[in-house]
PDB file of all heavy atoms in Angstrom:
ATOM      1  N   THR A1077      96.333  51.808  53.558  1.00 98.00           N
ATOM      2  CA  THR A1077      96.621  52.856  52.577  1.00 98.00           C
ATOM      3  C   THR A1077      97.186  52.249  51.291  1.00 98.00           C
ATOM      4  O   THR A1077      96.771  52.604  50.177  1.00 98.00           O
ATOM      5  CB  THR A1077      97.620  53.867  53.174  1.00 98.00           C
ATOM      6  OG1 THR A1077      97.059  54.360  54.395  1.00 98.00           O
ATOM      7  CG2 THR A1077      97.886  55.012  52.232  1.00 98.00           C
ATOM      8  N   ILE A1078      98.116  51.325  51.438  1.00 98.00           N
ATOM      9  CA  ILE A1078      98.709  50.680  50.255  1.00 98.00           C
ATOM     10  C   ILE A1078      97.632  49.918  49.471  1.00 98.00           C
ATOM     11  O   ILE A1078      97.572  49.988  48.237  1.00 98.00           O
ATOM     12  CB  ILE A1078      99.855  49.725  50.668  1.00 98.00           C
ATOM     13  CG1 ILE A1078     101.014  50.527  51.279  1.00 98.00           C
ATOM     14  CG2 ILE A1078     100.338  48.894  49.479  1.00 98.00           C
ATOM     15  CD1 ILE A1078     102.074  49.676  51.970  1.00 98.00           C
ATOM     16  N   PHE A1079      96.739  49.228  50.186  1.00 98.00           N
ATOM     17  CA  PHE A1079      95.719  48.435  49.485  1.00 98.00           C
ATOM     18  C   PHE A1079      94.712  49.333  48.759  1.00 98.00           C
ATOM     19  O   PHE A1079      94.141  48.938  47.748  1.00 98.00           O
ATOM     20  CB  PHE A1079      94.996  47.475  50.440  1.00 98.00           C
ATOM     21  CG  PHE A1079      95.929  46.500  51.121  1.00 98.00           C
ATOM     22  CD1 PHE A1079      95.618  45.962  52.360  1.00 98.00           C
ATOM     23  CD2 PHE A1079      97.135  46.139  50.529  1.00 98.00           C
ATOM     24  CE1 PHE A1079      96.486  45.079  52.997  1.00 98.00           C
ATOM     25  CE2 PHE A1079      98.019  45.252  51.154  1.00 98.00           C
ATOM     26  CZ  PHE A1079      97.688  44.727  52.395  1.00 98.00           C
ATOM     27  N   LYS A1080      94.495  50.528  49.272  1.00 98.00           N
ATOM     28  CA  LYS A1080      93.611  51.461  48.555  1.00 98.00           C
ATOM     29  C   LYS A1080      94.265  51.877  47.235  1.00 98.00           C
ATOM     30  O   LYS A1080      93.599  51.987  46.202  1.00 98.00           O
ATOM     31  CB  LYS A1080      93.321  52.697  49.412  1.00 98.00           C
ATOM     32  CG  LYS A1080      92.338  52.413  50.538  1.00 98.00           C
ATOM     33  CD  LYS A1080      92.065  53.670  51.348  1.00 98.00           C
ATOM     34  CE  LYS A1080      91.111  53.352  52.497  1.00 98.00           C
ATOM     35  NZ  LYS A1080      90.914  54.519  53.388  1.00 98.00           N
ATOM     36  N   ILE A1081      95.560  52.106  47.277  1.00 99.00           N
ATOM     37  CA  ILE A1081      96.270  52.482  46.051  1.00 99.00           C
ATOM     38  C   ILE A1081      96.287  51.292  45.083  1.00 99.00           C
ATOM     39  O   ILE A1081      96.081  51.446  43.880  1.00 99.00           O
ATOM     40  CB  ILE A1081      97.698  52.976  46.373  1.00 99.00           C
ATOM     41  CG1 ILE A1081      97.613  54.239  47.240  1.00 99.00           C
ATOM     42  CG2 ILE A1081      98.498  53.216  45.097  1.00 99.00           C
ATOM     43  CD1 ILE A1081      98.941  54.717  47.782  1.00 99.00           C
ATOM     44  N   ARG A1082      96.493  50.111  45.624  1.00 99.00           N
ATOM     45  CA  ARG A1082      96.479  48.897  44.789  1.00 99.00           C
ATOM     46  C   ARG A1082      95.134  48.771  44.056  1.00 99.00           C
ATOM     47  O   ARG A1082      95.073  48.446  42.878  1.00 99.00           O
ATOM     48  CB  ARG A1082      96.739  47.664  45.664  1.00 99.00           C
ATOM     49  CG  ARG A1082      96.818  46.349  44.883  1.00 99.00           C
ATOM     50  CD  ARG A1082      97.090  45.162  45.807  1.00 99.00           C
ATOM     51  NE  ARG A1082      96.983  43.914  45.072  1.00 99.00           N
ATOM     52  CZ  ARG A1082      98.018  43.204  44.623  1.00 99.00           C
ATOM     53  NH1 ARG A1082      99.248  43.596  44.885  1.00 99.00           N
ATOM     54  NH2 ARG A1082      97.825  42.096  43.940  1.00 99.00           N
ATOM     55  N   ASP A1083      94.070  49.059  44.774  1.00 99.00           N
ATOM     56  CA  ASP A1083      92.728  49.003  44.184  1.00 99.00           C
ATOM     57  C   ASP A1083      92.629  49.972  42.998  1.00 99.00           C
ATOM     58  O   ASP A1083      92.153  49.612  41.917  1.00 99.00           O
ATOM     59  CB  ASP A1083      91.695  49.340  45.267  1.00 99.00           C
ATOM     60  CG  ASP A1083      90.319  49.610  44.706  1.00 99.00           C
ATOM     61  OD1 ASP A1083      89.672  48.644  44.262  1.00 99.00           O
ATOM     62  OD2 ASP A1083      89.887  50.781  44.707  1.00 99.00           O
ATOM     63  N   THR A1084      93.106  51.190  43.181  1.00 99.00           N
ATOM     64  CA  THR A1084      93.081  52.173  42.091  1.00 99.00           C
ATOM     65  C   THR A1084      93.874  51.661  40.888  1.00 99.00           C
ATOM     66  O   THR A1084      93.452  51.790  39.734  1.00 99.00           O
ATOM     67  CB  THR A1084      93.694  53.510  42.542  1.00 99.00           C
ATOM     68  OG1 THR A1084      92.981  53.968  43.692  1.00 99.00           O
ATOM     69  CG2 THR A1084      93.640  54.556  41.449  1.00 99.00           C
ATOM     70  N   ILE A1085      95.039  51.084  41.154  1.00 99.00           N
ATOM     71  CA  ILE A1085      95.923  50.626  40.087  1.00 99.00           C
ATOM     72  C   ILE A1085      95.263  49.505  39.274  1.00 99.00           C
ATOM     73  O   ILE A1085      95.294  49.501  38.035  1.00 99.00           O
ATOM     74  CB  ILE A1085      97.290  50.192  40.676  1.00 99.00           C
ATOM     75  CG1 ILE A1085      98.033  51.434  41.211  1.00 99.00           C
ATOM     76  CG2 ILE A1085      98.124  49.430  39.666  1.00 99.00           C
ATOM     77  CD1 ILE A1085      99.309  51.137  41.974  1.00 99.00           C
ATOM     78  N   PHE A1086      94.629  48.556  39.958  1.00 99.00           N
ATOM     79  CA  PHE A1086      93.948  47.471  39.238  1.00 99.00           C
ATOM     80  C   PHE A1086      92.784  48.027  38.406  1.00 99.00           C
ATOM     81  O   PHE A1086      92.605  47.644  37.245  1.00 99.00           O
ATOM     82  CB  PHE A1086      93.455  46.380  40.210  1.00 99.00           C
ATOM     83  CG  PHE A1086      94.503  45.328  40.490  1.00 99.00           C
ATOM     84  CD1 PHE A1086      95.636  45.650  41.227  1.00 99.00           C
ATOM     85  CD2 PHE A1086      94.373  44.039  40.000  1.00 99.00           C
ATOM     86  CE1 PHE A1086      96.621  44.695  41.469  1.00 99.00           C
ATOM     87  CE2 PHE A1086      95.351  43.080  40.238  1.00 99.00           C
ATOM     88  CZ  PHE A1086      96.475  43.408  40.986  1.00 99.00           C
ATOM     89  N   LYS A1087      92.011  48.932  39.010  1.00 98.00           N
ATOM     90  CA  LYS A1087      90.897  49.527  38.258  1.00 98.00           C
ATOM     91  C   LYS A1087      91.419  50.239  37.018  1.00 98.00           C
ATOM     92  O   LYS A1087      90.817  50.168  35.943  1.00 98.00           O
ATOM     93  CB  LYS A1087      90.147  50.538  39.130  1.00 98.00           C
ATOM     94  CG  LYS A1087      89.109  49.909  40.028  1.00 98.00           C
ATOM     95  CD  LYS A1087      88.342  51.011  40.771  1.00 98.00           C
ATOM     96  CE  LYS A1087      87.552  50.413  41.926  1.00 98.00           C
ATOM     97  NZ  LYS A1087      87.534  51.300  43.096  1.00 98.00           N
ATOM     98  N   ALA A1088      92.534  50.943  37.171  1.00 99.00           N
ATOM     99  CA  ALA A1088      93.081  51.721  36.066  1.00 99.00           C
ATOM    100  C   ALA A1088      93.524  50.812  34.910  1.00 99.00           C
ATOM    101  O   ALA A1088      93.360  51.165  33.738  1.00 99.00           O
ATOM    102  CB  ALA A1088      94.253  52.581  36.546  1.00 99.00           C
ATOM    103  N   VAL A1089      94.070  49.649  35.227  1.00 99.00           N
ATOM    104  CA  VAL A1089      94.491  48.730  34.164  1.00 99.00           C
ATOM    105  C   VAL A1089      93.262  48.282  33.359  1.00 99.00           C
ATOM    106  O   VAL A1089      93.258  48.321  32.128  1.00 99.00           O
ATOM    107  CB  VAL A1089      95.245  47.510  34.739  1.00 99.00           C
ATOM    108  CG1 VAL A1089      95.528  46.483  33.638  1.00 99.00           C
ATOM    109  CG2 VAL A1089      96.552  47.946  35.384  1.00 99.00           C
ATOM    110  N   HIS A1090      92.219  47.885  34.078  1.00 99.00           N
ATOM    111  CA  HIS A1090      90.979  47.484  33.378  1.00 99.00           C
ATOM    112  C   HIS A1090      90.438  48.633  32.525  1.00 99.00           C
ATOM    113  O   HIS A1090      90.101  48.456  31.360  1.00 99.00           O
ATOM    114  CB  HIS A1090      89.913  47.049  34.386  1.00 99.00           C
ATOM    115  CG  HIS A1090      90.145  45.675  34.950  1.00 99.00           C
ATOM    116  ND1 HIS A1090      90.049  44.541  34.187  1.00 99.00           N
ATOM    117  CD2 HIS A1090      90.477  45.268  36.191  1.00 99.00           C
ATOM    118  CE1 HIS A1090      90.301  43.479  34.945  1.00 99.00           C
ATOM    119  NE2 HIS A1090      90.567  43.894  36.172  1.00 99.00           N
TER     120      HIS A1090
END
Side-chain angles (χ1 to χ4, degrees):
T1077 304
I1078 295 168
F1079 301 153
K1080 285 181 182 175
I1081 297 172
R1082 183 179 172 101
D1083 167 72
T1084 303
I1085 292 173
F1086 273 69
K1087 276 184 194 143
V1089 173
H1090 283 293

